[in-house]
């Protein structure tokens, strides 16, 4: 260590703030004075000037090594802020534009007999459709996905396990409209006529099948990764006590990995709840309330948002924003409830 690298002085906080203010002022004067850009370029050049000024000031006071540390820390904080800004912007936009129709009429009525000049109309039918379709899809996808992941981690060996893992990876990237076309060609056009006197029928259950196809790979991959993170000594200790493998998985492995499994399940549910193409293709959408997911057209919140966003009525955008806020709130409530349940039942 040389004397230049051994520094006890620290650059005070007000110096950092002064450098930041001076960098923004210089950037604004340069950009706005010459008219070469707007506030985005002001912020970008201000950040560049701030980093340069911070390095010069910190290297004079604390040394080059500490100056480099300050620069990297500032860049990390800046990247964190840049990552948070889009999320904060989305949340603020949803809250500011979605509160316009947060009333009883929106949550208690449908769009049946609502014309372009009617200010009323709600998303009750879409909320019911989303809850039924996503709920049925979760009932089908979660057990199959978790059991498939258990097989891949605990039992899967050889070419068959590799084949299953390969197809799961392939299914992860398929577009949602492909899943909708698959269910349309198989269930709606081939299977549903057997139960409807030879006539194909749209239904919410068909949308649930398409959502199941989309949820399965996410659940399998996330559950597989969580199960692999369970420490091996936990399994070995159970085996040493004579506990059979199936009971070790049920009583030790799954409770240990439960918080991560719940996170993967909720990610898949959030994706399914926001899908529009499968519902449009196989459920058809409806303006009236349909409580039966096995017969007749049915809507969903994502499809309702899509339809209202493209409607010519001046009242439609408010309905679309409120429906989007409702959809995000439903996913948030389900996620919090699932997290609390997983925390209560996990292995301590």
């Amino acid at each position: 260590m040389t004397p230049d690298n051994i520094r006890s002085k620290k650059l005070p906080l007000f110096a950092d703030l002064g450098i930041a203010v001076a960098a923004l002022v210089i950037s604004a004067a340069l950009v706005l004075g010459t008219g070469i850009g707007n506030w985005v370029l002001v912020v970008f050049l201000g950040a560049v000037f701030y980093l340069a000024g911070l390095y010069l000031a910190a290297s004079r006071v604390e040394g080059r090594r500490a100056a480099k540390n300050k620069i990297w820390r500032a860049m990390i904080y800046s990247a964190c802020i840049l990552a948070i800004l889009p999320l904060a912007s989305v949340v603020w936009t949803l809250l500011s534009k979605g509160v316009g129709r947060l009333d009883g009429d929106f949550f208690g009525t449908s769009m049946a007999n609502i014309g372009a000049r009617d200010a009323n109309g709600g998303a009750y039918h879409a909320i019911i459709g989303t809850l039924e379709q996503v709920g049925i899809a979760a009932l089908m996808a979660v057990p199959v996905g978790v059991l498939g992941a258990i097989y891949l981690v605990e039992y899967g060996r050889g070419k068959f396990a590799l084949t299953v893992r390969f197809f799961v990876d392939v299914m992860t990237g398929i577009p949602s409209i492909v899943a909708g076309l698959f269910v349309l060609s198989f269930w709606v056009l081939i299977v549903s006529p057997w139960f409807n006197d030879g006539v194909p029928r749209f239904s919410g259950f068909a949308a649930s099948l398409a959502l199941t196809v989309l949820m399965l790979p996410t659940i399998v991959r996330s559950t597989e990764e969580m199960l692999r993170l369970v420490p091996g000594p936990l399994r070995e200790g159970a085996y040493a006590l004579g506990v059979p493998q199936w009971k070790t998985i049920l009583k030790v492995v799954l409770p240990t990995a439960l918080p991560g499994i719940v996170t993967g399940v909720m990610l898949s549910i959030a994706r399914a709840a926001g899908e529009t193409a499968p519902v449009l293709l196989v459920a058809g959408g409806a303006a009236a309330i349909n409580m039966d997911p096995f017969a007749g057209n049915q809507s969903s919140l994502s499809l309702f948002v899509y339809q209202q966003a493209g409607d010519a009525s001046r009242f439609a955008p408010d309905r679309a924003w409120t429906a989007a806020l409702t959809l995000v709130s439903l996913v948030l409530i389900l996620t919090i409830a699932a997290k609390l349940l997983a925390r209560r039942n996990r292995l301590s």
Side-chain angles (χ1 to χ4, degrees):
M1 299 291 291
T2 62
D4 291 335
N5 292 328
I6 302 175
R7 301 274 182 165
S8 60
K9 295 182 179 180
K10 296 292 183 181
L11 194 67
L13 178 61
F14 70 85
D16 285 4
L17 297 177
I19 294 172
V21 172
L24 285 177
V25 170
I26 296 173
S27 176
L30 179 62
V31 174
L32 301 180
T34 57
I36 61 175
N38 55 11
W39 64 271
V40 177
L41 186 59
V42 171
V43 173
F44 176 76
L45 287 181
V48 174
F49 293 156
Y50 168 72
L51 293 176
L54 181 63
Y55 179 78
L56 292 176
S59 60
R60 296 272 300 184
V61 176
E62 302 180 13
R64 291 185 178 182
R65 180 176 298 178
K68 291 179 181 179
N69 181 64
K70 277 185 171 293
I71 292 298
W72 280 107
R73 185 170 57 186
M75 292 176 66
I76 291 172
Y77 287 164
S78 301
C80 179
I81 294 173
L82 287 176
I84 293 175
L85 280 178
L87 177 61
S89 176
V90 170
V91 172
W92 171 252
T93 303
L94 281 176
L95 291 176
S96 61
K97 295 187 177 182
V99 297
R101 281 301 312 275
L102 283 178
D103 50 44
D105 181 72
F106 182 83
F107 294 103
T109 61
S110 67
M111 291 299 295
N113 301 321
I114 299 296
R117 297 184 179 181
D118 295 326
N120 296 325
Y124 178 71
H125 62 300
I127 296 173
I128 294 298
T130 296
L131 293 176
E132 290 183 348
Q133 293 164 20
V134 176
I136 294 174
L139 288 176
M140 293 186 291
V142 173
V144 175
V146 173
L147 291 176
I150 291 174
Y151 165 77
L152 291 176
V153 175
E154 304 292 340
Y155 299 98
R157 300 293 185 272
K159 294 183 178 180
F160 181 72
L162 294 176
T163 303
V164 173
R165 190 175 289 107
F166 170 76
F167 279 105
V168 168
D169 292 337
V170 172
M171 288 178 61
T172 303
I174 64 172
S176 59
I177 195 170
V178 175
L181 288 172
F182 168 73
V183 175
L184 175 67
S185 61
F186 172 70
W187 180 265
V188 176
L189 299 179
I190 297 178
V191 179
S192 67
W194 296 353
F195 308 98
N196 193 35
D197 299 328
V199 179
R201 171 180 288 182
F202 289 161
S203 65
F205 180 72
S208 298
L209 291 177
L211 297 180
T212 301
V213 175
L214 297 174
M215 292 172 63
L216 267 176
T218 303
I219 296 174
V220 173
R221 291 299 295 166
S222 61
T223 304
E224 181 184 1
E225 294 301 325
M226 291 302 103
L227 293 178
R228 292 187 185 279
L229 292 177
V230 176
L234 289 178
R235 297 182 177 89
E236 296 168 0
Y239 297 153
L241 294 174
V243 181
Q245 186 175 10
W246 68 269
K247 186 172 288 188
T248 300
I249 296 172
L250 185 63
K251 298 293 185 178
V252 176
V253 177
L254 286 179
T256 304
L258 188 59
I261 295 174
V262 170
T263 300
V265 170
M266 295 314 301
L267 286 174
S268 66
I269 289 177
R271 181 191 178 187
E275 291 294 346
T276 304
V279 182
L280 182 63
L281 284 174
V282 300
I289 300 171
N290 179 17
M291 295 289 188
D292 188 359
F294 299 98
N297 290 24
Q298 199 174 49
S299 185
S300 69
L301 278 172
S302 58
L303 182 57
F304 181 82
V305 172
Y306 170 76
Q307 292 171 340
Q308 293 299 310
D311 200 310
S313 172
R314 67 187 181 93
F315 304 105
D318 290 338
R319 301 191 196 107
W321 282 111
T322 305
L325 179 60
T326 303
L327 179 59
V328 174
S329 301
L330 281 176
V331 174
L332 178 62
I333 292 172
L334 291 175
T335 302
I336 294 175
K339 285 288 187 180
L340 293 176
L341 182 63
R343 180 181 299 178
R344 182 178 180 181
N345 294 304
R346 68 182 178 182
L347 183 67
S348 59

